[in-house]
Amino acid sequence: MPEVLEKGVRYTIGLPEGLKRTIETDRIQTNFDFSEYRERFFPDMICSPFLLLSEVYLKTVMMYQPDVLFKGIKLWNKESGINVTYMLVILDGLECISDKTQFNSVGNRILKLVLDKEKVDTEAVFRFKECDKNGIIGRMDFVESILRRGVKGIKLTEIEVA
């Protein structure tokens, strides 16, 4: 599988249920005007509306998962001329939630996430399929790697593995 998404090719990817499972790369918009964004800080990871990583973050991901799919995305501000490049990243999703995970009374929100050790043992960085959020989960060695490279603007939360 190629590292860069090729134009005009359809890729089947693992996405949360209810979302499209294929991407037609010639339909991916690669330039976005963010004139409404007034901040001067650009984090190394943006989770919404889709997963965007900085180049340094992507290179770290590729150390652990060399076949990751990505496409360059340019964010630009017409007024100020500021622009920044991110990579739209397609990470594999794992079905890895342990039966020890605690949900709210309705069952639609995770209160305490517990991952199944057998399902995540070999993976360094991934998404979990059971959630429609765009955050990623990383093994401790991966997390240490991104921190050593000075990645900024991310939030780390410890997750139990059982």
Side-chain angles (χ1 to χ4, degrees), residues 103-114:
F103 293 89
N104 66 357
S105 59
V106 179
N108 64 351
R109 174 174 261 177
I110 296 173
L111 300 175
K112 181 182 178 189
L113 176 61
V114 180

Side-chain angles (χ1 to χ4, degrees), residues 25-75:
T25 55
D26 54 348
R27 293 186 180 178
I28 296 176
Q29 182 178 345
T30 57
N31 293 296
F32 295 90
D33 181 7
F34 67 104
S35 297
E36 299 299 315
Y37 184 72
R38 300 287 180 222
E39 298 292 323
R40 298 283 179 175
F41 172 74
F42 297 96
D44 285 297
M45 179 174 161
I46 298 175
C47 294
S48 181
F50 36 78
L51 183 62
L52 297 175
L53 301 179
S54 68
E55 185 177 354
V56 68
Y57 203 125
L58 175 66
K59 285 181 179 179
T60 309
V61 168
M62 291 178 70
M63 290 170 47
Y64 294 88
Q65 191 172 332
D67 61 345
V68 67
L69 295 174
F70 66 91
K71 182 169 182 80
I73 302 290
K74 180 76 72 177
L75 302 181

